[in-house]
Amino acid sequence: MKIHKEGRRILFVTLLILLALNLLVFNFNKGADLVNRLFAGATVIVFLLILQFFRSPFRHLFTHEDLLLAPADGKVVVIENVFEPEYFNDERKQISIFMSPINVHVTRNPISGMVKYFKYHPGNYLVAWHPKSSTQNERTTVVVESDSGPLVLFRQIAGAMARRIVWYVNEGDEVTQGEEFGFIKFGSRVDVFVPMDTEIKVELGQKVKGGATVICQLKVK
């Protein structure tokens, strides 16, 4: 287990603030040992909660041309046929994974290939499970031409708590299945759009692990 690079500065600043608050409380409440201990305990819990959010566990990754891996840890909240208007302008199968604040928030490439399209969209901060969050929230859209041929679109979506999306890919990049393509801070969602003939390997409500759980199998011609 290691701490993700996106959290190191936040954790350092948080630690300094909490230490300063403890010094102030202890200074103004001299003799109130119980109050001071309770406050110190509460700040330790706050720090540990933030610390666990930025954990980055080691994953045994594997690659396969026609299998898509979950792009993030979380729960499958959507499996449905939808019209995808941003890039494909046709019907696709959508799989959505909701990431709660206690999930690992690293986002990973679901498949290997070349990035054909990338775009960042500023937007709102609706709760991540809201149907309109996919098109109205702050988000990124990535389209990868997989090594097996089919195009796969995946989208980072900020939620009500997430206020910053980080990405590490650009158009023209070669990406490897399971490697990090970004990070979303404090609660979010990832959508995946695949061709209609794709075989879905997960169910609604199923918990998945990024870079480890197979979510679907592409049909290779």
Side-chain angles (χ1 to χ4, degrees), residues 38-49:
L38 289 173
F39 185 81
T43 58
V44 169
I45 292 172
V46 169
F47 184 77
L48 291 176
L49 288 173

Side-chain angles (χ1 to χ4, degrees), residues 5-17:
K5 62 183 180 181
E6 299 295 342
R8 292 169 191 166
R9 182 178 178 182
I10 291 175
L11 289 168
F12 179 71
V13 172
T14 300
L15 181 61
L16 291 180
I17 292 172

Side-chain angles (χ1 to χ4, degrees), residues 65 111 144-152 195 198 218-221:
E65 286 190 352
I111 199 156
V144 170
E145 183 177 16
S146 65
D147 288 343
S148 60
L151 294 172
V152 176
T198 301
L218 299 170
K219 185 175 182 181
V220 181
K221 297 179 181 179

Side-chain angles (χ1 to χ4, degrees), residues 64-69 93 95 111 148 150 194-202 214-220:
H64 200 288
E65 286 190 352
D66 63 342
L67 296 178
L68 263 71
L69 301 182
K93 286 185 177 179
I95 305 165
I111 199 156
S148 60
V194 292
M196 292 297 292
D197 57 2
T198 301
E199 182 181 356
I200 306 300
K201 298 288 189 179
V202 289
V214 175
I215 60 172
C216 57
Q217 183 171 16
L218 299 170
K219 185 175 182 181
V220 181

Side-chain angles (χ1 to χ4, degrees), residues 9 23 35 54 56 71 91 98 124 130 139 170 180 188 190 192 204:
R9 182 178 178 182
L23 288 173
V35 173
F54 288 105
S56 182
E91 195 170 24
F98 173 70
N124 299 320
H130 194 288
R139 61 200 182 279
N170 293 288
E180 294 183 18
S188 44
V190 181
V192 180
L204 280 175

Side-chain angles (χ1 to χ4, degrees), residues 138-158:
E138 179 188 6
R139 61 200 182 279
T140 63
T141 300
V142 183
V143 178
V144 170
E145 183 177 16
S146 65
D147 288 343
S148 60
L151 294 172
V152 176
L153 184 153
F154 42 100
R155 183 175 288 138
Q156 294 171 300
I157 302 170

